[in-house]
């Protein structure tokens, strides 16, 4: 207090103290210090005698208090309403844990009883200005506590609503219409639906089984490329530009070579697109397959004859526009060199339905045997596939759903188509 008053004057009041140790090694041999926070009162303080206990003796410094000669000991007497506000806000600090019940005065305690007991048994009374400030602080604390309770209730109710909210059921009819399946096909499916499937959610296993039975009954699907033991299989991928023929060819090659250990060869006739040969050459090096480049139908025929010992020959063709009759005729002549070539028309699931129909009609010149749908992961509606299967006698071979080689490819089976429609 002497140091405080020498700095701030006789009206200074200590607001907070903090004990700590400085110096020493690992906390030993250090010097105990006290940090004191003080302020100047607006009005001079008056002094009253220290309280007298029942024995008529002055209250002594509590046990464990630091040596009076070395440092000051401060014990605040906190009004009850401050503690209550901390309790209400659920942020009661260590102060209330360190104080006993005798440290708290009734709420109607007079201002002159709000005092601070110091080690030298001198008590300083808070000024009226400080009492007003304390009241304002208490009021702010109460308001903050109320706001916290309100926020906790609001957040808790929202969390409760979100956790207890019942997921809205989406019927099979709504799902198929959302996938842009033709309404006539939807009505045909729904017409065969029993009451259980009609009312169930699309994620119900029963709904999937119901749709799967319909697809197996009406849609022709295959297990992809089927290779007979002891026979050579020749497969060519055809289609418009940018549908993913080269990447799909690499996925197919990887599956048969790396997983089944078949002897295979890659042939590319895509000499139009820049870096097309380099792309397939990279895949062939990774898989460990020979790569042949052909420019004419005669060269393709010679390469096929040269690799008669292979179990699988995969041919990558250049992308052709369905509006370019000359390019389509050129592709037809290329694939006519061998009647055993199985042609897979590659279509992108992101293409408009009208354009897909146009592509199928124009590429019918090459008489494709099966259809591959790529980029099923890049569209939110897959119903176009079901519409095409219902309108045209197509046989599906594969679906692809990403760029990863060889993972993002799977056979176009009924169960996989059902999963795509119900996703």
């Amino acid at each position: 207090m002497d140091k405080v008053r020498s700095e701030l004057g006789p009206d200074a009041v200590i607001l907070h103290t903090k004990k700590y140790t400085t110096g020493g090694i690992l906390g030993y041999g250090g010097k105990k210090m006290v940090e004191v926070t003080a302020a100047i009162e607006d009005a001079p303080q008056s002094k009253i005698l220290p309280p007298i206990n029942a024995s008529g003796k002055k209250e002594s410094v509590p046990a464990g208090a630091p040596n009076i000669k070395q440092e000051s000991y401060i014990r605040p007497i906190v009004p009850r309403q401050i503690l209550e506000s901390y309790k209400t806000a659920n942020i009661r600090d260590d102060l209330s844990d360190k104080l006993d019940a005798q440290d708290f005065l009734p709420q109607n305690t007079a201002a002159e009883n709000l005092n601070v007991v110091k080690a030298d048994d001198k008590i300083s009374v808070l000024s009226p200005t400080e009492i007003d400030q304390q009241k304002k602080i208490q009021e702010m604390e109460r308001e903050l506590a109320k706001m916290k309770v309100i926020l906790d209730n609001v957040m808790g109710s929202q969390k409760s609503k979100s956790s207890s909210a019942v997921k809205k059921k989406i019927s099979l009819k709504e799902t198929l219409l959302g996938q842009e399946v033709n309404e006539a096909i939807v009505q045909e499916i729904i017409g065969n639906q029993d009451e259980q499937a009609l009312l169930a959610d699309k994620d119900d296993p029963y709904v999937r089984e119901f749709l799967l039975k319909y697809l197996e009954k009406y849609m022709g699907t295959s297990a992809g490329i089927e290779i007979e033991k002891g026979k050579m299989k020749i497969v060519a991928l055809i289609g418009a530009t940018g549908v993913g023929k080269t990447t799909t060819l690499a996925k197919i090659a990887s599956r048969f070579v790396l997983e089944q250990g078949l002897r295979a060869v890659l042939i590319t006739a895509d000499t139009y697109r820049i870096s097309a040969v380099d792309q397939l050459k990279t895949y062939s090096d990774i898989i460990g397959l020979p790569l042949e480049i052909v420019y004419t139908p005669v060269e393709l025929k010679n390469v096929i004859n040269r690799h008669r010992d292979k179990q699988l020959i995969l041919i990558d063709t250049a992308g052709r526009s369905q509006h370019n009759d000359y390019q389509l005729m050129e592709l037809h002549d290329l694939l006519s060199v061998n009647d055993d070539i199985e042609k897979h028309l590659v279509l992108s699931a992101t293409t408009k339905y009208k354009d897909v129909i146009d592509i199928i009609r124009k590429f019918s010149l090459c008489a494709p045997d099966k259809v591959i749908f790529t980029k099923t992961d890049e569209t939110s509606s897959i119903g176009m596939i079901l519409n095409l299967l219902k309108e045209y006698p197509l046989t599906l071979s594969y679906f692809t759903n990403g760029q990863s080689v060889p993972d993002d490819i799977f056979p176009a089976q009924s169960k996989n188509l059902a999963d795509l429609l119900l996703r």
Side-chain angles (χ1 to χ4, degrees):
M1 286 301 298
D2 291 339
K3 290 185 178 181
V4 169
R5 287 170 178 168
S6 65
E7 289 283 343
L8 302 178
D11 296 330
V13 176
I14 292 180
L15 303 179
H16 177 71
T17 61
K18 175 183 177 183
K19 296 183 291 184
Y20 63 94
T21 303
T22 182
I25 300 176
L26 299 178
Y28 296 97
K31 181 180 179 181
K32 294 182 178 179
M33 303 291 292
V34 177
E35 179 182 279
V36 180
T37 302
I40 302 175
E41 290 187 323
D42 293 336
Q45 297 184 39
S46 61
K47 298 182 180 180
I48 63 174
L49 294 177
I52 305 297
N53 57 22
S55 61
K57 297 181 181 181
K58 298 179 180 180
E59 286 189 352
S60 59
V61 177
N67 193 324
I68 297 176
K69 296 181 180 180
Q70 296 179 359
E71 53 186 342
S72 299
Y73 176 78
I74 295 178
R75 184 171 185 171
I77 299 178
V78 183
R80 187 187 304 275
Q81 53 265 37
I82 295 182
L83 177 64
E84 291 302 325
S85 64
Y86 275 94
K87 289 181 179 178
T88 304
N90 199 23
I91 53 173
R92 180 178 175 181
D93 61 6
D94 295 337
L95 175 64
S96 59
D97 296 330
K98 297 177 181 178
L99 300 178
D100 301 325
Q102 63 182 0
D103 295 323
F104 297 94
L105 301 180
Q107 293 186 8
N108 58 354
T109 301
E112 60 268 16
N113 288 331
L114 301 176
N115 51 46
V116 178
V117 181
K118 299 184 292 298
D120 56 0
D121 289 338
K122 295 180 180 180
I123 302 177
S124 299
V125 179
L126 297 178
S127 68
T129 303
E130 288 183 320
I131 294 175
D132 292 339
Q133 291 177 348
Q134 278 195 355
K135 289 181 179 179
K136 292 179 180 180
I137 292 174
Q138 294 168 18
E139 185 64 28
M140 292 176 62
E141 290 173 342
R142 283 193 291 269
E143 291 298 326
L144 289 174
K146 291 179 182 178
M147 292 175 62
K148 183 178 184 298
V149 171
I150 294 173
L151 287 174
D152 288 342
N153 291 336
V154 172
M155 297 302 294
S157 63
Q158 290 180 351
K159 183 177 180 181
S160 176
K161 288 180 181 179
S162 62
S163 60
S164 61
V166 179
K167 180 183 176 182
K168 181 182 177 181
K169 285 187 177 182
I170 303 177
S171 66
L172 177 60
K173 179 179 180 180
E174 292 174 320
T175 301
L176 294 178
L177 290 176
Q179 290 284 357
E180 298 184 2
V181 177
N182 187 283
E183 189 170 355
I185 300 176
V186 174
Q187 292 299 330
E188 180 181 348
I189 297 175
I190 300 303
N192 297 324
Q193 204 174 17
D194 57 27
E195 185 177 356
Q196 180 179 355
L198 188 64
L199 300 177
D201 183 74
K202 71 178 184 66
D203 294 329
D204 193 313
Y206 182 80
V207 174
R208 181 183 182 277
E209 291 298 324
F210 179 85
L211 180 61
L212 184 57
K213 289 180 181 179
Y214 176 85
L215 295 177
E216 290 175 345
K217 184 177 180 180
Y218 293 99
M219 308 303 168
T221 57
S222 71
I225 297 174
E226 300 173 337
I227 299 179
E228 298 181 17
K229 187 176 181 180
K231 291 186 177 181
M232 180 182 65
K233 188 76 171 184
I234 307 174
V235 176
L237 301 190
I238 62 176
T241 58
V243 295
K245 293 187 299 298
T246 303
T247 303
T248 302
L249 192 78
K251 293 175 182 178
I252 295 173
S254 300
R255 287 293 179 93
F256 282 103
V257 174
L258 300 180
E259 296 180 7
Q260 301 183 26
L262 297 183
R263 300 186 308 277
V265 60
L266 298 179
I267 300 175
T268 179
D270 187 2
T271 57
Y272 293 85
R273 186 165 54 94
I274 298 176
S275 301
V277 175
D278 293 336
Q279 182 184 4
L280 196 58
K281 180 67 167 61
T282 301
Y283 285 132
S284 68
D285 291 341
I286 295 174
I287 302 172
L289 294 179
L291 175 64
E292 299 280 0
I293 305 173
V294 298
Y295 296 89
T296 64
V298 175
E299 291 181 356
L300 176 61
K301 183 177 181 178
N302 293 336
V303 169
I304 292 175
N305 292 331
R306 191 162 61 244
H307 290 279
R308 286 286 179 182
D309 60 325
K310 300 297 190 297
Q311 296 170 283
L312 179 63
I313 296 177
L314 296 173
I315 304 173
D316 185 26
T317 64
R320 302 300 190 189
S321 170
Q322 70 270 25
H323 303 298
N324 193 321
D325 295 335
Y326 174 78
Q327 290 182 346
L328 291 176
M329 183 59 67
E330 188 179 40
L331 178 62
H332 171 267
D333 294 340
L334 177 70
L335 299 177
S336 298
V337 299
N338 192 305
D339 295 335
D340 295 331
I341 296 179
E342 184 177 278
K343 296 170 283 293
H344 291 238
L345 176 60
V346 182
L347 298 172
S348 172
T350 62
T351 308
K352 293 186 298 183
Y353 182 71
K354 182 178 180 181
D355 292 335
V356 169
I357 293 178
D358 192 29
I359 293 172
I360 292 175
R361 288 175 177 172
K362 294 298 181 63
F363 274 86
S364 61
L365 176 67
C366 301
D369 300 285
K370 298 179 180 180
V371 176
I372 298 175
F373 275 98
T374 62
K375 304 181 181 183
T376 60
D377 59 315
E378 297 181 15
T379 179
S380 58
S381 59
I382 207 73
M384 173 190 65
I385 298 177
L386 187 55
N387 298 337
L388 288 172
L389 290 174
K390 190 68 176 177
E391 187 172 354
Y392 296 94
L394 303 177
T395 301
L396 304 184
S397 57
Y398 291 101
F399 295 131
T400 71
N401 60 340
Q403 296 294 315
S404 179
V405 177
D407 299 324
D408 296 334
I409 187 171
F410 49 96
Q413 299 174 352
S414 299
K415 61 178 182 179
N416 294 327
L417 179 57
D419 291 337
L420 289 175
L421 291 169
L422 294 174
R423 65 184 178 182

